[in-house]
Structures are given as structure tokens and as C-alpha cells.
């Protein structure tokens, strides 16, 4: 998944018809979405040195191995950072403001941080969590949301709602 595609994934995925951006998986990132469709959060790891990496890419940045595997994560993490976009850049997002975009540090792989949305339930609106409830360091868990076209994206739920 390229940086642009990772940024697009921050939208929480959406139906292009409703104006929300959806991720566009490339060959390296396709397994991430295939596992998400099964309700599993997995990250690419080097089969040579064991280093986790995200976004997925063909070569390990640590040992330059081209061998990789997808390691299952617990789906737990902490909010490392977040933003409330003001003003939203696209009309479809303006209708959902105030919404959030969170950066979650994975508990199983602290060097890995995933972008997504903090929501009240997997299928809830992007603005379903009031901004005053979002805190750096808050424990979260992964939830999976299928968007139009059958793609499943990772969203985040507060562990203590």
C-alpha cells in the first residue's frame, strides 16, 4: 500500500458514490485487506530478520530480504496521535464533521502505527465518537468495516467506552 493509499485508508473507507475515499490496495497491500475481510489484523513481517513493517512493501528496510510473512496481531493498541480535520476538504466529509483520524500504535508491534477512525461501533458513522472523548494513550481495539465494493477496512473502538 503506498503512502497515498494509506492516507486514503484514513477515511475509514467509503462508497465512492457517497464521496468518501476508499483504499486502493496494491499487490503488496492486498493481503492486509484480505486478512481484514476475515476479521484479522495482520502486518507484514520479514521472514529473514523478523522485523514488522507497514505499509507493506516488497523488501525489508532492515536486512533487504524479499521474503515476508503476515503476522497476526492482537488488534489492540493505543492512540498515538489524532486530528480533527478543520475544515474537511471534501463535501462528503464536511457532512460528517467533526470526525477524527487517529494514529494507533499497535501493542504487538510498537514501531507500527496504523491510520484509521475512532468509532462507536464497526459500522458507525465517522463522527460517532465525540471529540472530547479522544485522548492520546487511550487503549483501543480493532474493528472491521466492509465498505462498498467488498473491501474491509480497520477502524478503532475505545476499549473502555
Amino acid at each position: 500500500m503506498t503512502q497515498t493509499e494509506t492516507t486514503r485508508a484514513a477515511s475509514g473507507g467509503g462508497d465512492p458514490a457517497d464521496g468518501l475515499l476508499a483504499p486502493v490496495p496494491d499487490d503488496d497491500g492486498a493481503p492486509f485487506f484480505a486478512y481484514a475481510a476475515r476479521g484479522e489484523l495482520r502486518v507484514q513481517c520479514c521472514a529473514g530478520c523478523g522485523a514488522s513493517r507497514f505499509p507493506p512493501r516488497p523488501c525489508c528496510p532492515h536486512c533487504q530480504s524479499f521474503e515476508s510473512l503476515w503476522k497476526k496481531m492482537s488488534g489492540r493498541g493505543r492512540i498515538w496521535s489524532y486530528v480533527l480535520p478543520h475544515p474537511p476538504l471534501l463535501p462528503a466529509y464536511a457532512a460528517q464533521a467533526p470526525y477524527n483520524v487517529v494514529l494507533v500504535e499497535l501493542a504487538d508491534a510498537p514501531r507500527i502505527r496504523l491510520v484509521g477512525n475512532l468509532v462507536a461501533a464497526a459500522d458507525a458513522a465517522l463522527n460517532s465518537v465525540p471529540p472530547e472523548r479522544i485522548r492520546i494513550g487511550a487503549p483501543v481495539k480493532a474493528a472491521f468495516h466492509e465498505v462498498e465494493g467488498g473491501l474491509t477496512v480497520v477502524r478503532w473502538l475505545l476499549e473502555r467506552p
Side-chain angles (χ1 to χ4, degrees):
M1 190 160 38
T2 67
Q3 185 63 34
T4 300
E5 291 156 349
T6 302
T7 303
R8 288 177 139 190
S11 73
D15 176 356
D18 67 12
L20 298 180
L21 299 174
V24 179
D26 60 10
D27 290 341
D28 296 319
F32 176 83
F33 293 101
Y35 286 118
R38 296 182 355 202
E40 296 180 12
L41 179 61
R42 291 188 181 238
V43 297
Q44 188 183 45
C45 296
C46 178
C49 71
S52 301
R53 60 185 186 250
F54 198 88
R57 49 197 173 271
C59 180
C60 176
H62 305 286
C63 74
Q64 287 70 52
S65 171
F66 283 91
E67 301 300 319
S68 66
L69 51 90
W70 287 82
K71 184 176 176 184
K72 187 174 183 178
M73 301 284 113
S74 67
R76 297 207 164 354
R78 295 196 176 275
I79 296 175
W80 191 80
S81 186
Y82 70 96
V83 66
L84 303 170
H86 294 286
L89 300 177
L90 299 173
Y93 291 94
Q96 297 200 42
Y99 66 94
N100 63 75
V101 178
V102 295
L103 188 58
V104 173
E105 181 179 68
L106 298 182
D108 305 325
R111 292 182 11 198
I112 303 295
R113 296 183 185 122
L114 301 181
V115 177
N117 301 100
L118 185 64
V119 292
D123 296 330
L126 297 183
N127 62 2
S128 61
V129 174
E132 60 273 9
R133 301 220 35 240
I134 305 169
R135 299 281 183 267
I136 302 268
V140 293
K141 59 185 174 183
F144 302 92
H145 173 69
E146 186 176 332
V147 297
E148 188 72 24
L151 193 66
T152 300
V153 297
V154 178
R155 291 179 162 189
W156 300 96
L157 309 173
L158 289 169
E159 283 208 22
R160 294 183 287 271

